[in-house]
Amino acid sequence: KYIIDSKNILKAVGNYVYENLKSNKILINKPQGGFYLMPEFLNKSFSSSSEMCSNLLKETGVVLLPGSDFGFDETKMLARLSFTHFDGQKFMNNAKNTKNIDNDLISKFAPNIVEGIEKLKKWSESI
């Protein structure tokens, strides 16, 4: 039951992140499991993914790891995004027996994710 509930929450949060980031500024694949996504930012403002992630942190407070840390070409604007910055036990306790975790539940029990994705989206549109 615990594993099923955990997977249900992570699937819903991952889909929330995907749906809110996919755009003509960000290429992102739909999550297939786990709790990471690798968005690619379609801009020419930075010379490396490390520079891009440093700028993102400075401008928004949102932390992503540069794709170059995971063996990707440093000139490709890829980053690793984890969507686990929330109290999983609290979320699970309040989402028990909920088959469809909607955006209202995500906003209530994963507010850091919602705030971070909104900042990331605005930042990507400004660069």
Side-chain angles (χ1 to χ4, degrees), residues 5 8-14 16-17 20 85-115:
D5 289 344
N8 193 27
I9 290 168
L10 288 172
K11 181 178 181 180
V13 174
Y16 172 87
V17 170
N20 283 279
H85 189 11
F86 59 89
D87 184 333
Q89 190 63 55
K90 185 176 179 182
F91 201 144
M92 190 176 291
N93 289 342
N94 288 280
K96 282 184 179 174
N97 304 318
T98 304
K99 291 187 182 200
N100 183 26
I101 296 174
D102 61 17
N103 288 352
D104 290 337
L105 277 174
I106 292 170
S107 293
K108 187 171 184 179
F109 298 109
N112 293 333
I113 301 297
V114 172
E115 179 184 1

Side-chain angles (χ1 to χ4, degrees), residues 13-30:
V13 174
N15 284 331
Y16 172 87
V17 170
Y18 166 76
E19 290 296 334
N20 283 279
L21 286 184
K22 67 178 181 175
S23 69
N24 61 351
K25 301 280 185 175
I26 302 172
L27 289 178
I28 189 167
N29 291 322
K30 191 168 185 155

Side-chain angles (χ1 to χ4, degrees), residues 28-41:
I28 189 167
N29 291 322
K30 191 168 185 155
Q32 300 294 312
F35 47 87
Y36 295 111
L37 290 171
M38 295 288 292
E40 181 177 357
F41 297 86

Side-chain angles (χ1 to χ4, degrees), residues 51-62 64 120 123:
E51 180 187 355
M52 178 187 71
C53 289
S54 292
N55 179 269
L56 174 63
L57 177 60
K58 184 178 120 190
E59 296 294 322
T60 68
V62 173
L64 298 183
L120 184 54
W123 174 84

Side-chain angles (χ1 to χ4, degrees), residues 36-82:
Y36 295 111
L37 290 171
M38 295 288 292
E40 181 177 357
F41 297 86
L42 303 175
N43 68 71
K44 304 295 182 201
S45 302
F46 307 103
S47 61
S48 70
S49 58
S50 293
E51 180 187 355
M52 178 187 71
C53 289
S54 292
N55 179 269
L56 174 63
L57 177 60
K58 184 178 120 190
E59 296 294 322
T60 68
V62 173
V63 178
L64 298 183
L65 295 174
S68 58
D69 286 359
F70 300 92
F72 293 98
D73 182 330
E74 68 180 21
T75 62
K76 200 163 176 93
M77 297 302 124
L78 281 166
R80 187 176 83 164
L81 181 157
S82 170

